[in-house]
Amino acid sequence: MTTSSELFERAKELIPGGVNSPVRAFRSVGGTPFFTKRANGATLTTADDRELIDFVCTWGPAIHGHNNEIIREAVAKALDSGTSFGTPNPYEITMAELIIEMVPSIEKVRMVNSGTEATMTAIRLARGYTQRNKIIKFEGCYHGHADSLLIKAGSGALTFGNPDSAGVPEGFARETIVLPFNDLGAVQDVFDTCGDDIAGIILEPYPANVGLIFPKDGYLQGLRDLCSKNGSVLIFDEVMTGFRVSAGGVQTKEGITPDLTTLGKIIGGGLPVGALGGKAEIMDHLAPEGPVYQAGTLSGNPLAMAAGIAALELLKDGTAYDRLDHLGVQVREAIQSAVNETGIPAQIPQVGSMFCLYFTDTPVKDLEDASNTDTERFNSYFHKCLDLGVYIPPSKYEGNFISTAHENASIARACEVFAEALRSM
Ligand code: KE4
């Protein structure tokens, strides 16, 4: 058996950092990343033949667990007819109908191949539609690695302490205004000074690439009002939260209607997919209908569409969220109980099947608060959980996910592990 360590040494000779996405490298938490050779339900089987209860869920897509039989059969059926046609295909219509039905603010939708493509297109569309240049984003929000958005970003960029990536020309950065999250006055001030050049605002309505932060009461509505008043485009990046916190995402939970929404992860059922959707009047500015160009060789390919359609069909009646919400509360309460018992300062924000653990005694409302939480303590907690057979995200800035495949026994065992890890500190 080739161990994870041996595989990692070989991978580092061939792939930068040995990984195809930085956060997988365990750089923040230390140690050698494990390689996964199989995944089923809530369990990962590593190259070292360890079985781990998974709370990363491939960073969100696996809301039905890994290797879900219904999704697998849908992909197998599509595979019988080929993998990619490069022409329109009926699956794309079914996918578009599902997204439009489940996310009321979306009147038209364009499929792409990643969340990054979706957000990159959204800001180009906002600029093309408004004929303006400036985009407002928020510290700690991560929208993928498009140049204009990789500024004071969250997720892996934050984990490695380089929220402003090398290689982004000053000219690009100049058109992106970065503000603290949850500070509506700061946004008002920007509109007061250059409102007629603000193409749009893009945000994660529940920032989950900085742990998990909730908007203050009135904040999302305030952003909505400012965009409406100034003719700017409000973009909700729901790549992570879409179909995760509810069938209609945060916008449905909070009753806020964005102009554009970006999606990804869950809508691909584990295959590469992203999507951009919103008001038809704006979306029709996309080529070939309008002047804003966007394209993709594999956009809407039948395999990814079949997987995503199966994943969304399993969520459409909403009953999956009853279980996911219940499991999320159960896990949060179990961790809270252990926190109370040990007296360790910790915050456990949770919504539905998303949660995180901050080691701090004060609620986290923005990037600064998140950055001031105890990293060393988190890293120790991460490794203790991993040693005991539970895999949580290898960074304090990433959210945990639960799937419908997390059976009661797995949840019970994980709660024991979380408590034991806290007691060991
Ligand atoms: P992708 O390009 O990775 O498909 O999506 C980018 C993206 C956009 N918007 C939000 C809100 C996101 O969370 C993401 C990607 N999320 C990270 C996890 N925090 C992906 C994991 C990784 O980078 O390997």
Side-chain angles (χ1 to χ4, degrees):
M1 173 188 73
T2 309
T3 66
S4 290
S5 297
E6 291 163 341
L7 289 167
F8 193 47
E9 286 314 306
R10 177 65 178 141
K12 284 189 286 188
E13 295 168 6
L14 308 165
I15 306 165
V19 292
N20 282 309
S21 198
V23 71
R24 305 176 189 171
F26 281 21
R27 287 291 175 89
S28 168
V29 292
T32 299
F34 61 83
F35 280 57
T36 299
K37 63 181 182 183
R38 186 170 57 251
N40 275 296
T43 303
L44 301 177
T45 303
T46 73
D48 315 292
D49 278 337
R50 288 196 69 205
E51 295 215 333
L52 304 173
I53 303 172
D54 179 23
F55 283 86
V56 178
C57 292
T58 181
W59 304 99
I63 195 166
H64 303 296
H66 295 288
N67 207 12
N68 172 280
E69 191 175 340
I70 294 171
I71 293 173
R72 194 176 67 240
E73 285 172 7
V75 173
K77 181 169 181 287
L79 191 55
D80 283 343
S81 305
T83 55
S84 176
F85 310 140
T87 71
N89 68 72
Y91 286 105
E92 293 170 294
I93 294 172
T94 306
M95 173 62 93
E97 286 172 337
L98 270 171
I99 290 174
I100 289 166
E101 177 187 348
M102 295 172 78
V103 187
S105 70
I106 295 181
E107 296 172 347
K108 284 198 174 178
V109 62
R110 168 65 56 87
M111 301 311 298
V112 295
N113 297 286
S114 69
T116 295
E117 277 189 63
T119 58
M120 175 175 70
T121 306
I123 60 173
R124 183 182 312 132
L125 179 55
R127 287 169 163 157
Y129 173 71
T130 61
Q131 301 290 304
R132 300 174 181 177
N133 295 327
K134 295 263 187 297
I135 290 286
I136 293 174
K137 78 171 288 283
F138 299 96
E139 290 174 351
C141 283
Y142 178 70
H143 305 292
H145 58 92
D147 282 349
S148 296
L149 293 170
L150 207 49
I151 297 159
K152 291 236 187 300
S155 187
L158 200 56
T159 296
F160 302 101
N162 56 353
D164 304 312
S165 172
V168 177
E170 174 51 36
F172 280 50
R174 195 178 309 122
E175 301 301 342
T176 303
I177 299 167
V178 187
L179 299 174
F181 187 76
N182 265 330
D183 180 346
L184 195 56
V187 185
Q188 178 69 68
D189 291 346
V190 167
F191 273 101
D192 289 346
T193 51
C194 50
D196 55 3
D197 193 27
I198 306 293
I201 295 178
I202 185 169
L203 72 149
E204 295 177 71
Y206 288 176
N209 285 287
V210 67
L212 180 56
I213 290 174
F214 297 118
K216 288 178 181 171
D217 289 347
Y219 181 68
L220 297 179
Q221 187 59 56
L223 297 178
R224 174 64 279 171
D225 295 343
L226 281 168
C227 283
S228 301
K229 183 181 169 196
N230 291 277
S232 302
V233 177
L234 180 61
I235 305 165
F236 272 15
D237 178 358
E238 296 222 48
V239 165
M240 179 100 77
T241 54
F243 305 102
R244 169 60 64 177
V245 299
S246 82
V250 171
Q251 56 193 272
T252 299
K253 264 179 95 70
E254 296 281 349
I256 305 286
T257 303
D259 300 308
L260 294 177
T261 299
T262 53
L263 298 167
K265 296 183 190 275
I266 286 171
I267 65 168
L271 296 188
V273 180
L276 165 67
K279 287 179 179 165
E281 182 215 345
I282 301 175
M283 291 296 291
D284 283 342
H285 281 68
L286 280 177
E289 194 72 15
V292 179
Y293 195 69
Q294 182 278 333
T297 302
L298 294 172
S299 297
N301 76 79
L303 285 198
M305 294 299 97
I309 289 164
L312 294 186
E313 291 283 7
L314 288 167
L315 295 170
K316 210 167 67 169
D317 69 4
T319 54
Y321 296 102
D322 299 335
R323 172 158 172 74
L324 291 166
D325 293 351
H326 168 73
L327 294 178
V329 170
Q330 184 181 343
V331 170
R332 172 173 51 78
E333 288 178 347
I335 298 174
Q336 187 62 63
S337 169
V339 164
N340 298 344
E341 175 200 324
T342 58
I344 291 174
Q347 306 290 320
I348 312 149
Q350 170 260 332
V351 56
S353 57
M354 286 175 70
F355 68 94
C356 87
L357 176 57
Y358 290 118
F359 286 106
T360 181
D361 54 8
T362 53
V364 175
K365 65 186 181 311
D366 57 23
L367 171 61
E368 185 181 359
D369 292 349
S371 301
N372 290 334
T373 62
D374 191 327
T375 304
E376 197 175 322
R377 185 163 253 179
F378 174 84
N379 294 347
S380 164
Y381 174 78
F382 168 84
H383 281 290
K384 189 63 181 174
C385 288
L386 188 58
D387 291 346
L388 294 171
V390 172
Y391 176 48
I392 65 171
S395 164
K396 72 175 188 179
Y397 294 116
E398 297 289 353
N400 294 254
F401 298 101
I402 303 172
S403 79
T404 54
H406 281 75
E407 292 160 1
N408 293 339
S410 301
I411 293 291
R413 173 59 188 151
C415 290
E416 287 170 2
V417 166
F418 294 144
E420 191 172 335
L422 287 165
R423 281 195 289 268
S424 74
M425 299 171 81

